[in-house]
Amino acid sequence: MNRYCIGIDLGGTYTKFGLLDEQRRLSDTFQLPTPADRGADGVVGQMAAGARRLIDAAKANAGEVLAVGIGSPGPLSVSRGRIFAMPNIPGMEDVPLRDRISEALDLPAVLENDANAAAFGEYICGAGKGAGDMVMLTLGTGLGSGFILNGRILHGVHEIGGELGHLVVQPGGRQCACGQKGCLERYCSATYLAMYAQRRIEEGDEPTVLRDVLRDKGAIDAKDIADARRAGDKLANQAWDECAYYLAVGCVNVCRLFDPDEIVLAGGLTRAGDELLHPVVRHFHELHWHITEVKTEITLARLGTDAGIIGAAGVAWQQFA
């Protein structure tokens, strides 16, 4: 009989589902709209309905579902299986999500932070497969991160460890929503890359094609900057290079603390591929110490949006198999 764990990746717009077997093969993936206007009961009901669909698919393949893994935005407590709040879904305050899903399906369940789940997915099936220790940085609205050390996700004693986006890289620097100043994500996430370039345009008069983009669209995004840089725009190139530089600073600090085999870059910015990777690696080698050779590899994620499903199910396999 085939054995499976269910992976659920809860998002503010869509919830993704899939089955992961013992050979770490993903199947029967699909997504459903997240009923963000129906509160906790609606979200739990939709998650349970999707999971039951997967249980039926497993039975059709003469399979058995052992457990459920849930990847979710936070803040949350992994040990308690509880969501404290979800800014994009009203009514998800202090919800015992793990236990509610477990009771609805009569299966053991585990709750994990979504960035950690995606990192674990890349670790077991993607860019980090075969690595010893791995760190993943997700470059999107902010800068998420997941640390896999000795085959397990790092949480910290207070369950707030591994938040590289809030590593201070510029003391007294740009204000962050977390309350600190100079956080890494304020210098190299997709959101703040665009904000930095837009501020440069609004406060100065240097020539740039991005000025026309800003006038026509009312805002610019990271893709606009990448396109302008590709066309030889000086301001866009400076903004892009600053982003790559600070990302390399973060990677060097990761190496000093954890000495991982791999640092994996994921998220929207990585759609630029080698145009992002090459300047990051160049700065990384320039900033890295010279007392030993550089052994940590920086690479791009491979699993795309499947990483969260695979990682959530993988955590369930690790805990319950």
Side-chain angles (χ1 to χ4, degrees):
M1 175 176 282
N2 299 317
R3 301 198 305 165
Y4 301 93
C5 282
I6 291 173
I8 303 176
D9 183 10
L10 174 62
T13 304
Y14 290 99
T15 302
K16 303 179 183 70
F17 302 82
L19 288 172
L20 194 70
D21 69 13
E22 292 177 90
Q23 286 72 46
R24 304 304 185 254
R25 294 174 301 201
L26 183 67
S27 63
D28 294 287
T29 59
F30 62 92
Q31 65 181 26
L32 297 173
T34 301
D37 59 342
R38 289 165 48 197
D41 289 344
V43 171
V44 170
Q46 184 80 301
M47 292 171 69
R52 291 189 190 100
R53 178 170 156 184
L54 289 175
I55 292 170
D56 290 341
K59 289 178 180 177
N61 292 319
E64 175 191 9
V65 173
L66 302 182
V68 182
I70 306 160
S72 171
L76 55 79
S77 168
V78 171
S79 63
R80 296 164 58 195
R82 187 174 289 269
I83 301 287
F84 295 138
M86 288 185 68
N88 294 327
I89 305 181
M92 289 292 288
E93 291 79 30
D94 199 29
V95 177
L97 186 61
R98 178 195 64 198
D99 293 347
R100 290 194 61 176
I101 292 297
S102 178
E103 290 165 6
L105 301 173
D106 194 25
L107 286 170
V110 60
L111 176 67
E112 184 54 78
N113 171 273
D114 56 354
N116 287 340
F120 196 65
E122 288 288 345
Y123 177 73
I124 61 175
C125 292
K129 187 176 181 179
D133 294 344
M134 188 202 89
V135 176
M136 190 166 89
L137 310 181
T138 303
L139 310 166
T141 304
L143 194 155
S145 56
F147 289 66
I148 315 299
L149 307 177
N150 297 316
R152 294 193 171 272
I153 296 169
L154 171 71
H155 295 111
V157 173
H158 305 105
E159 300 188 292
I160 54 173
E163 290 287 350
L164 193 69
H166 299 286
L167 177 77
V168 175
V169 294
Q170 192 66 261
R174 298 169 191 167
Q175 182 67 52
C176 183
C178 77
Q180 297 178 165
K181 290 185 177 180
C183 289
L184 181 62
E185 76 168 27
R186 291 304 306 251
Y187 294 85
C188 59
S189 65
T191 299
Y192 294 110
L193 169 63
M195 288 176 60
Y196 168 73
Q198 185 165 325
R199 188 173 68 252
R200 285 272 303 269
I201 294 166
E202 292 170 344
E203 294 177 353
D205 57 2
E206 54 194 307
T208 172
V209 297
L210 292 171
R211 194 178 302 278
D212 295 333
V213 176
L214 179 60
R215 183 188 63 242
D216 294 342
K217 292 174 53 178
I220 57 177
D221 57 29
K223 183 179 182 302
D224 296 324
I225 297 169
D227 291 342
R229 175 181 178 270
R230 210 171 290 125
D233 186 89
K234 183 178 178 181
L235 187 150
N237 187 65
Q238 290 173 345
W240 192 265
D241 192 63
E242 180 189 85
C243 172
Y245 172 82
Y246 278 104
L247 189 52
V249 170
C251 290
V252 169
N253 285 326
V254 165
C255 289
R256 297 291 72 79
L257 288 168
F258 300 105
D259 186 29
D261 287 317
E262 289 193 46
I263 298 173
V264 177
L265 306 181
L269 268 182
T270 62
R271 284 195 287 267
D274 288 344
E275 292 181 60
L276 175 69
L277 183 62
H278 287 171
V280 171
V281 171
R282 173 172 55 81
H283 284 302
F284 176 70
H285 281 265
E286 291 170 352
L287 293 166
H288 200 282
W289 69 14
H290 301 291
I291 58 176
T292 60
E293 63 179 309
V294 178
K295 295 183 179 180
T296 298
E297 181 183 4
I298 301 176
T299 188
L300 300 176
R302 298 176 189 169
L303 298 179
T305 57
D306 286 342
I309 309 172
I310 293 170
V315 171
W317 269 110
Q318 187 177 69
Q319 183 160 330
F320 297 112

